[in-house]
Amino acid sequence: MSTEERITLKHGAGGTAMVELIEEVFAAAYGDANAPRDDSARLDLTGPLAFTTDSFVVDPIFFPGGDIGRLAVAGTVNDLLAVGARPVALSASFIIEEGLPVRDLVTVAQSMAKTAAEAEVRIVTGDTKVVARGSADKVFITTSGVGCVLRDGISGAAAKPGDAIILTGSIGDHGAAVMLAREKLLDTDAISSDTAPLNDIVLSLINAECEIHTMRDPTRGGIGAALNEIAKQSAVGIELEERAIIVKPPVAAACEALGIDPLYVANEGKMLVIVSAADAQRSLDIIRQQRWGAEASIIGRVTSNHPGQVRIRTSIGTTRVVSPPSGELLPRIC
Ligand code: MG
């Protein structure tokens, strides 16, 4: 098929046009030529396994630092990593709006292939549906993923008083980049999404046997939402140091203009890692040596005080509560 074409309803109708689309766009980008075209992929895995799923509806589908395809792969990979699993295989299911240029779909599929290669994960199965113009917006992707659990017990419920909270880099980059791209306010490359699969960071910590209690990728709702979830799940308090949390100046300016607190803005290439105090410095050193981890820092600690609550000590020395976000601050950022 030609990349000059646009997707029509026949590409989702189960006939030759659909086979052509699947073979020439998806299979060409990330398919295994030797795999039989059966109803299911076969995986040879031994447990325990981790299994997760996520849908991606980001608008626009291309934004500085990434696109919906990279996001769909990295998002699911990072959710597997967050429970101490090595990602193995993904499914990718597409809902495509009639009229989408085939060229855009090829770009998205190739981006997924590249990101999957980075994450050492295979996309082994998928589905394609086409809906009439106006029934969806360009393309929605659902990725599910399976991984082998390498370390048992890493959980949002396992943070303990005294633990250190490491954040692998700056906050707010993804949400700010997507919002500005959507509003067409982005005329510089000063802000770009951090979308990335974090295999190197997580697997090197597990290999080094660092005493990790909790990991979470602070996506929708940002670190504010993720840390509140952990404080509740583990029935502990969390104390943050504002000056240890990096917000790049252009992101800070964008958040101020949009009237949002960067603590609640989505990240797509960051991990919160909660480790025993004894392993905090060693873990930080390991993370800083990895791709995407150079700016990691210890942003706070877990305490037995104020269980269920997150507090932050501001740069001027006052303390305030970081409440859980009450609703969707930024729609369609992932
Ligand atoms: Mg997650």
Side-chain angles (χ1 to χ4, degrees):
M1 70 194 303
S2 159
T3 54
E4 300 306 308
E5 272 180 67
R6 285 178 181 265
I7 296 292
T8 65
L9 291 172
K10 72 173 196 254
H11 290 111
T16 52
M18 192 181 89
V19 172
E20 195 182 61
L21 172 71
I22 292 170
E23 292 298 327
E24 293 183 23
V25 176
F26 302 117
Y30 51 69
D32 174 356
N34 297 317
R37 297 294 192 254
D38 286 335
D39 285 354
S40 294
R42 297 165 183 84
L43 302 174
D44 191 9
L45 301 174
T46 46
L49 302 176
F51 182 36
T52 188
T53 191
D54 216 335
S55 292
F56 296 86
V57 299
V58 66
D59 172 36
I61 60 173
F62 301 105
F63 46 84
D67 57 75
I68 191 170
R70 181 169 177 79
L71 190 59
V73 171
T76 293
V77 160
N78 290 342
D79 279 344
L80 292 170
L81 291 165
V83 297
R86 179 175 57 83
V88 176
L90 302 184
S91 71
S93 194
F94 292 77
I95 295 174
I96 307 166
E97 183 192 17
E98 177 190 16
L100 182 75
V102 170
R103 184 189 298 105
D104 287 356
L105 209 50
V106 169
T107 305
V108 168
Q110 287 173 349
S111 174
M112 292 176 80
K114 182 173 165 285
T115 312
E118 247 177 85
E120 294 179 30
V121 69
R122 292 183 301 141
I123 303 170
V124 296
T125 188
D127 183 48
T128 309
K129 296 278 164 31
V130 179
V131 296
R133 205 179 287 270
S135 297
D137 187 10
K138 295 180 210 57
V139 61
F140 299 155
I141 305 175
T142 298
T143 44
S144 301
V146 182
C148 293
V149 177
L150 303 176
R151 172 86 71 79
D152 251 342
I154 297 175
S155 165
K160 290 179 182 57
D163 287 353
I165 302 167
I166 301 173
L167 178 62
T168 58
S170 59
I171 61 169
D173 302 71
H174 176 76
V178 171
M179 283 309 292
L180 295 183
R182 187 185 308 162
E183 305 303 330
K184 300 188 172 55
L185 294 171
L186 205 58
D187 53 2
T188 73
D189 54 3
I191 299 179
S192 82
S193 168
D194 56 348
T195 305
L198 300 173
N199 299 57
D200 292 356
I201 287 175
V202 172
L203 299 181
S204 56
L205 288 172
I206 290 175
N207 284 339
E209 298 188 353
C210 294
E211 200 189 326
I212 306 163
H213 293 156
T214 302
M215 285 190 280
R216 190 147 296 177
D217 57 334
T219 54
R220 223 176 356 173
I223 67 168
L227 290 170
N228 269 285
E229 288 163 16
I230 294 166
K232 286 193 179 56
Q233 268 184 275
S234 293
V236 294
I238 285 177
E239 283 168 2
L240 301 176
E241 288 292 337
E242 187 172 52
R243 61 163 179 245
I245 299 171
I246 304 169
V247 186
K248 292 176 183 153
V251 172
C255 287
E256 205 172 309
L258 294 166
I260 45 177
D261 184 335
L263 290 176
Y264 301 109
V265 177
N267 311 278
E268 293 289 346
K270 298 290 155 31
M271 193 68 82
L272 287 161
V273 182
I274 302 186
V275 292
S276 69
D279 268 357
Q281 191 57 49
R282 189 167 72 93
S283 301
L284 184 62
D285 293 342
I286 290 170
I287 293 169
R288 283 182 173 164
Q289 286 162 28
Q290 311 305 317
R291 192 177 181 197
W292 317 120
E295 292 183 317
S297 62
I298 295 173
I299 62 163
R301 65 188 191 95
V302 180
T303 168
S304 56
N305 301 330
H306 52 84
Q309 200 174 66
V310 179
R311 294 185 186 176
I312 188 164
R313 207 153 64 105
T314 67
S315 39
I316 53 167
T318 58
T319 296
R320 68 179 170 93
V321 173
V322 179
S323 334
S326 58
E328 183 90 290
L329 296 160
L330 301 173
R332 291 190 59 190
I333 45 150
C334 57

